[in-house]
């Protein structure tokens, strides 16, 4: 994978001929994946490399001044998945106020013109340049290479979109989110020291420090998969505020890895949320909590036994 950064303050023409797709690609869901697969096919026709053009930061941060935009996936996750789906190059457009105010023609000439494009793939609703005044028809009429417009990818409920997936995640409907994403929603982070209460109750958990960019699921207990390095483990995941002990004012993310023993501190971990088990509950005492955790564990093992 090659990362190409494009900035208006330092425009350099790329020497690498490529066919590319363009968009923000939050979640890189099945609709986005169609753009990537069409890009791979186009690149084969043109005998060149593939690329995914995206924006950094999120355009809403610049255009609307939003400071805390929540996303289904981080840029790291999107780039890793894009490479798995056949992208040779990731083109990061340094999105600034100046770039947002370019006319459609200037965006084509300066930004896309800095890339050695042999073809471009975009979604049917793609808009660009100042106030979104550029669209797919403008692209087709003003670039010297092939432009392919991909129609919406739909399921029985309509167009698959980041908005629909976000709603599923915040409501704990992880199976439905997975169907539209094509893979499970996951939060990545570093394992850090916690208060070690889980260890004292027989459920040693990995406390995960994660980026506040993530769109967060409904609080509660989930069945999931924890991936550390090249190994994956069935897991009981909890997102919440530990109300039984009532001593934290922020959301904590922790996971009990089934049939695992070892030290995870400072390791990078990915937690995939598969099924919502129950809401977070405040228990009268620690023993009641332990009994519930034991039941949660049985429910989660049963879930995996039937999957």
């Amino acid at each position: 994978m090659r990362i190409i950064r494009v900035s208006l303050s330092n425009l350099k023409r790329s020497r690498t001929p490529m066919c590319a797709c363009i968009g923000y690609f939050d979640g890189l869901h099945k609709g986005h994946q169609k753009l990537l697969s069409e890009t791979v096919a186009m690149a084969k026709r043109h005998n060149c490399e593939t690329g995914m053009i995206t924006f950094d930061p999120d355009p809403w941060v610049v255009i609307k001044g939003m400071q805390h935009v929540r996303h289904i996936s981080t840029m790291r996750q999107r780039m890793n998945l894009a490479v798995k789906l056949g992208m040779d190059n990731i083109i990061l457009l340094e999105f600034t106020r100046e770039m947002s105010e370019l006319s459609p023609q200037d965006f084509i000439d300066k930004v896309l013109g800095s890339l050695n494009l042999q073809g471009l793939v975009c979604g049917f609703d793609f808009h660009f340049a100042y106030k979104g005044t550029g669209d797919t028809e403008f692209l087709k009429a003003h670039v010297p290479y092939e432009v392919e417009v991909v129609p919406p990818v739909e399921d029985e409920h309509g167009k698959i979109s980041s908005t629909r997936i976000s709603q599923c995640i915040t409501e704990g409907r992880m199976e439905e989110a997975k169907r539209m994403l094509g893979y499970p929603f996951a939060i990545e982070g570093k394992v850090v020291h916690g208060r070690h209460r889980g260890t004292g109750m027989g459920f040693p958990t990995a406390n995960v420090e994660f980026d506040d960019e993530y769109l967060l699921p409904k609080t509660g207990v989930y069945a999931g998969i924890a991936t550390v390095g090249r190994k994956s483990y069935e897991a009981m995941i909890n997102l919440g505020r530990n109300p039984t002990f009532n001593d934290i004012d922020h959301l904590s993310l922790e996971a009990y890895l089934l049939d695992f023993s070892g030290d995870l501190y400072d390791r990078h971990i990915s937690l995939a949320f598969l099924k919502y088990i129950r809401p977070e509950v405040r228990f009268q005492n620690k023993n009641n909590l332990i009994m519930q955790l034991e039941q949660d564990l049985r429910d989660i093992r049963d879930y995996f036994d039937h999957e």
Side-chain angles (χ1 to χ4, degrees), residues 90-303:
I90 306 295
I91 301 93
L92 298 179
L93 305 185
E94 184 181 312
F95 198 72
T96 59
R97 176 65 64 179
E98 183 183 5
M99 185 176 287
S100 75
E101 294 176 349
L102 290 176
S103 69
Q105 190 62 58
D106 280 344
F107 184 86
I108 289 171
D109 294 341
K110 295 180 179 180
V111 179
L112 298 182
S114 70
L115 304 169
N116 193 350
L117 293 178
Q118 308 301 299
L120 186 67
V121 178
C122 54
F124 71 101
D125 55 355
F126 176 65
H127 286 79
F128 63 97
Y130 185 59
K131 294 187 177 180
T133 50
D135 59 14
T136 57
E137 291 304 314
F138 189 93
L139 271 175
K140 288 180 177 180
H142 292 84
V143 298
Y145 42 79
E146 178 184 2
V147 174
E148 182 174 343
V149 179
V150 176
V153 175
E154 299 181 339
D155 60 15
E156 64 273 22
H157 301 295
K159 185 184 80 167
I160 291 175
S161 67
S162 298
T163 300
R164 282 183 60 200
I165 295 167
S166 295
Q167 184 175 358
C168 288
I169 292 169
T170 58
E171 294 175 358
R173 294 185 282 129
M174 293 306 174
E175 298 100 326
E176 192 174 343
K178 179 183 176 182
R179 283 196 294 271
M180 289 188 283
L181 285 168
Y183 61 90
F185 167 78
I187 293 178
E188 297 182 355
K190 185 175 76 171
V191 179
V192 297
H193 286 277
R195 289 174 169 80
H196 303 284
R197 287 207 182 91
T199 301
M201 294 186 293
F203 291 89
T205 58
N207 292 272
V208 181
E209 184 179 71
F210 59 93
D211 198 304
D212 63 4
E213 175 187 1
Y214 279 109
L215 176 76
L216 294 179
K218 181 179 180 179
T219 58
V221 177
Y222 291 82
I225 296 290
T227 302
V228 184
R230 295 182 180 273
K231 293 187 176 181
S232 296
Y233 305 87
E234 296 171 357
M236 176 166 62
I237 302 170
N238 184 79
L239 178 68
R241 291 187 167 83
N242 299 325
T244 300
F245 300 103
N246 197 31
D247 61 355
I248 62 170
D249 57 4
H250 62 278
L251 284 174
S252 68
L253 176 62
E254 50 192 321
Y256 173 68
L257 280 58
L258 280 60
D259 307 314
F260 170 85
S261 62
D263 184 0
L264 292 173
Y265 292 118
D266 295 323
R267 299 284 303 276
H268 181 83
I269 191 170
S270 175
L271 299 180
F273 293 69
L274 300 183
K275 182 175 178 59
Y276 186 73
I277 300 298
R278 66 166 175 87
E280 191 171 45
V281 178
R282 181 176 182 178
F283 295 92
Q284 290 184 343
N285 53 58
K286 186 171 74 172
N287 288 336
N288 287 356
L289 174 56
I290 293 173
M291 290 175 62
Q292 180 61 59
L293 291 174
E294 290 171 346
Q295 181 60 52
D296 294 339
L297 184 58
R298 287 191 291 270
D299 291 341
I300 288 170
R301 288 193 185 278
D302 184 65
Y303 166 78

